[in-house]
């Protein structure tokens, strides 16, 4: 596979890419699995490497098998699709293509990455319903295993109501943001729509100036939303409102950079259980200061791995990370799991291999203990056949000693996907080597009884 559409991007080609004509992270091939009920495509990136002619391929280390979104049984972690991920651009006639006209091409590298990572849940704005081609494409992608959550703000305008009602079959949930200062104005219309549609409806709320100032230490002119644990009373009150009687299925929770993904998801799950609803947790990948860049790959992949563990452990929680592709200009610059050329960053590999590792486990998965250990932190998940341990090393550490209550198992490097026997010591700990100088890796232990 070689698609040299470097003119699609609003950024210079990568180094050693022959001006984008030979972008190595995009080189590879598809493996198409044809089944009686359809097909799935596995993407294999070769990064330009080739097997020597006339000699057999050397067997590499054992790796976890990637999972396609359609087959992902642990798919409650997804991404907020902030950029236009179905964009169609025009390629200029530079001489390499038709000399007499521009050519239209859709950028499907975001979709290819989602398939590689096994990500099925996507959060999309109301704007995607304003483009007929996007509607058709989302409906087709739903048949390939993707689940879409619509998000909007306030009481929808009449023509938006018609669009949402007509195409609600595309969506598995609808998140509606409200300004609590004008709640009385909007709640009636929101209640009417929530009663009229068949998809689950979640409610979020804007954070006030005073709340933002409390969170950041000063006020930044920015739009923030989502409930916090302290807002439990507000959530209970709105559930009791007659306008929303029996029509509200969940709440959106805010997870800031300074909050633990695991602890926040656990709290959201507890509140949602008590209120008889579900929780959608929004994982913020940037801080409160809009001028400050968040470009720490170690911090990003740690939070993503922890959030994915939480989404698997708490059955009434879905987690959406707010950065899929790098935001490298303007306000709140931060890194995603893809760069601006839509090539993989460290977070891409962690999501891909974490989904693969979780799908190795049969049966139900539930939450276990989380704690500190020499060299970092760990999180335990309980499965029918044993314990799963997620090791989260400190940035400046190269080895961890992770405790668990079993004597054998496998260790999976979430950076490379490589699988190796867990090196268990006599006191039921495992020494985990983390080569921080080369890559960011997070082993997870699948420990059968």
């Amino acid at each position: 596979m070689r698609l040299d559409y470097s003119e699609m991007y609003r950024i210079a080609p990568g180094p050693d890419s022959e001006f984008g004509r030979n972008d190595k992270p995009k080189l590879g091939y598809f493996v198409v699995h044809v089944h009686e009920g359809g097909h799935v495509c596995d993407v294999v990136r070769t990064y330009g490497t080739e097997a020597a002619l006339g000699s057999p391929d050397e067997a590499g280390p054992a790796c976890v098998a990637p999972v396609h979104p359609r087959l992902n049984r642990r798919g409650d972690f997804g991404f907020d699709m902030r950029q236009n991920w179905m964009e169609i651009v025009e390629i200029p006639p530079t001489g390499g293509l038709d000399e007499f006209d521009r050519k239209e091409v859709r950028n499907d590298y975001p979709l290819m990455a989602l398939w590689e990572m096994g990500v099925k849940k996507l959060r999309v704005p109301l704007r995607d319903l304003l483009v007929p081609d996007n509607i058709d494409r989302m409906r087709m992608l739903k048949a390939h295993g993707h689940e879409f959550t619509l998000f909007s703000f306030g009481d929808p305008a009449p023509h938006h109501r018609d669009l949402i009602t007509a195409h609600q079959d595309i969506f598995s949930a609808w998140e509606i943001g409200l300004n609590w200062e004008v709640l009385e104005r909007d709640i009636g219309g929101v209640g009417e729509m929530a009663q009229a549609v068949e998809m689950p409806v979640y409610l979020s709320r804007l954070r006030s100036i005073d709340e933002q100032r409390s969170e950041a230490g000063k006020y930044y002119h920015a739009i923030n939303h989502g409930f916090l644990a302290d807002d439990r009373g507000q959530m209970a009150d709105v559930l009791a409102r007659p306008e929303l009687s029996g029509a509200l299925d969940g709440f959106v929770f805010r997870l800031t950079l300074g909050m633990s993904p695991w602890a926040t998801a656990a709290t959201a799950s507890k509140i949602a259980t008590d209120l008889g609803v579900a929780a959608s947790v929004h994982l913020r990948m940037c801080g409160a200061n809009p001028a400050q860049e968040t470009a720490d790959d170690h911090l990003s992949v740690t939070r993503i791995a922890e959030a994915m563990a939480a989404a698997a452990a708490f059955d009434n929680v879905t987690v959406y990370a707010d950065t899929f592709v790098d935001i490298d200009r303007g306000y709140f610059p931060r890194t995603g799991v893809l760069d601006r050329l839509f090539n993989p960053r460290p977070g891409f590999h962690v999501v891909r291999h974490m989904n693969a590792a979780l799908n190795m486990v049969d049966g139900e998965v539930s939450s276990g203990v989380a704690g500190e250990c020499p060299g970092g932190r760990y999180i335990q998940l309980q499965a029918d056949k044993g314990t799963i341990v997620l090791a989260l090393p400190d940035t400046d550490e190269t080895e961890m000693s992770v405790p668990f209550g079993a004597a054998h198992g496998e260790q999976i490097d979430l950076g490379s996907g490589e699988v190796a026997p867990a090196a268990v010591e006599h006191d039921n700990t495992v020494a985990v080597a983390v080569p921080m100088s080369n890559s960011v890796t997070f082993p997870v232990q699948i420990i059968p009884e």
Side-chain angles (χ1 to χ4, degrees):
M1 177 184 62
R2 178 169 176 160
L3 301 176
D4 298 327
Y5 292 128
S6 56
E7 295 92 344
M8 284 194 301
Y9 309 122
R10 297 170 179 86
I11 189 173
D16 302 321
S17 68
E18 300 177 14
F19 298 97
R21 299 188 300 267
N22 190 25
D23 192 0
K24 291 183 178 179
K26 294 185 175 67
L27 301 180
Y29 56 91
F30 283 111
V31 177
V32 182
H33 303 271
V34 181
H35 304 276
E36 183 177 350
H39 70 276
V40 295
C41 294
D42 286 341
V43 182
V44 181
R45 296 184 192 250
T46 64
Y47 291 85
T49 59
E50 298 178 1
L53 294 177
S55 63
D57 293 339
E58 294 185 4
C63 293
V64 288
V67 58
H68 188 275
R70 192 173 183 177
L71 305 176
N72 188 354
R73 296 176 289 107
R74 314 287 182 190
D76 285 330
F77 172 88
F79 284 99
D80 192 344
M81 307 305 286
R82 300 196 170 211
Q83 288 98 338
N84 184 354
W85 62 287
M86 295 181 282
E87 183 179 21
I88 295 177
V89 299
E90 293 183 344
I91 304 299
T94 61
L97 295 174
D98 190 338
E99 186 65 14
F100 302 100
D101 197 4
R102 293 188 295 269
K103 287 187 179 292
E104 289 187 343
V105 60
R106 183 180 58 230
N107 180 12
D108 271 343
Y109 286 117
L111 177 61
M112 187 175 80
L114 292 168
W115 284 5
E116 288 180 88
M117 292 186 292
V119 172
K120 66 193 314 178
K121 286 190 176 289
L122 306 176
R123 185 174 177 268
V124 298
L126 179 61
R127 177 168 295 276
D128 277 344
L129 281 181
L130 304 180
V131 182
D133 287 345
N134 287 4
I135 294 173
D136 294 340
R137 189 148 182 80
M138 286 191 292
R139 185 169 279 115
M140 180 272 290
L141 291 175
K142 179 184 176 184
H144 282 267
H146 289 288
E147 297 178 3
F148 295 98
T149 291
L150 175 70
F151 69 92
S152 63
F153 178 75
D155 183 7
H159 62 291
H160 289 161
R161 288 189 175 204
D162 293 341
L163 270 175
I164 294 168
T165 302
H167 302 294
Q168 61 177 300
D169 62 293
I170 296 174
F171 302 103
S172 59
W174 179 16
E175 296 180 1
I176 305 174
L178 287 178
N179 183 350
W180 237 243
E181 295 180 1
V182 292
L183 183 65
E184 300 301 326
R185 182 194 69 188
D186 290 344
I187 195 169
V190 168
E192 289 178 5
M193 279 301 294
Q195 299 279 2
V197 297
E198 297 180 2
M199 57 184 162
V201 175
Y202 290 64
L203 204 64
S204 186
R205 60 168 292 245
L206 289 187
R207 310 302 300 173
S208 69
I209 292 176
D210 289 339
E211 288 170 325
Q212 293 185 56
R213 182 180 290 113
S214 174
E215 178 182 317
K218 61 174 68 174
Y219 173 65
Y220 295 105
H221 185 66
I223 303 299
N224 294 330
H225 75 99
F227 290 94
L228 299 175
D230 293 342
D231 302 322
R232 177 173 176 154
Q234 289 184 334
M235 288 181 269
D237 290 343
V238 78
L239 280 174
R241 295 287 298 248
E243 299 91 339
L244 294 173
S245 177
L248 203 60
D249 297 272
F251 293 101
V252 175
F253 287 80
R254 180 172 176 80
L255 170 51
T256 68
L257 191 66
M259 299 165 63
S260 160
W262 178 263
T264 301
T267 300
S269 177
K270 176 65 166 60
I271 293 174
T273 299
D274 292 346
L275 297 178
V277 294
S280 176
V281 177
H282 286 200
L283 176 67
R284 293 277 290 172
M285 302 303 292
C286 57
N289 185 341
Q292 184 175 346
E293 181 183 22
T294 306
D296 185 340
D297 281 327
H298 182 90
L299 175 64
S300 296
V301 297
T302 300
R303 287 167 56 76
I304 286 174
E306 189 173 335
M308 293 183 73
F314 302 105
D315 59 6
N316 60 348
V317 170
T318 300
V319 180
Y320 289 101
D322 75 354
T323 314
F324 179 50
V325 181
D326 286 359
I327 297 175
D328 63 356
R329 60 200 66 190
Y331 297 106
F332 298 106
R334 71 264 198 185
T335 54
V337 298
L338 300 180
D339 63 22
R340 287 289 306 284
L341 293 171
F342 301 95
N343 290 332
R345 293 182 58 83
F348 166 92
H349 302 290
V350 168
V351 175
R352 184 171 188 250
H353 298 136
M354 186 73 168
N355 270 328
L358 290 171
N359 275 269
M360 293 171 57
V361 183
D362 295 325
E364 298 295 324
V365 173
S366 60
S367 62
V369 300
E372 306 288 331
C373 63
R377 297 178 295 114
Y378 68 92
I379 293 171
Q380 288 188 352
L381 307 180
Q382 298 302 321
D384 291 345
K385 294 184 178 180
T387 304
I388 306 166
V389 180
L390 174 65
L392 302 170
D394 294 333
T395 303
D396 56 353
E397 295 287 344
T398 59
E399 186 171 289
M400 295 179 61
S401 296
V402 182
F404 56 84
H408 57 279
E410 293 178 325
Q411 177 175 300
I412 301 173
D413 184 328
L414 295 185
S416 65
E418 295 180 5
V419 182
V424 182
E425 299 177 354
H426 67 279
D427 57 350
N428 268 355
T429 65
V430 60
V432 180
V434 184
M436 297 300 301
S437 61
N438 298 321
S439 63
V440 182
T441 60
F442 292 99
V444 58
Q445 286 75 46
I446 310 297
I447 315 287
E449 290 180 340

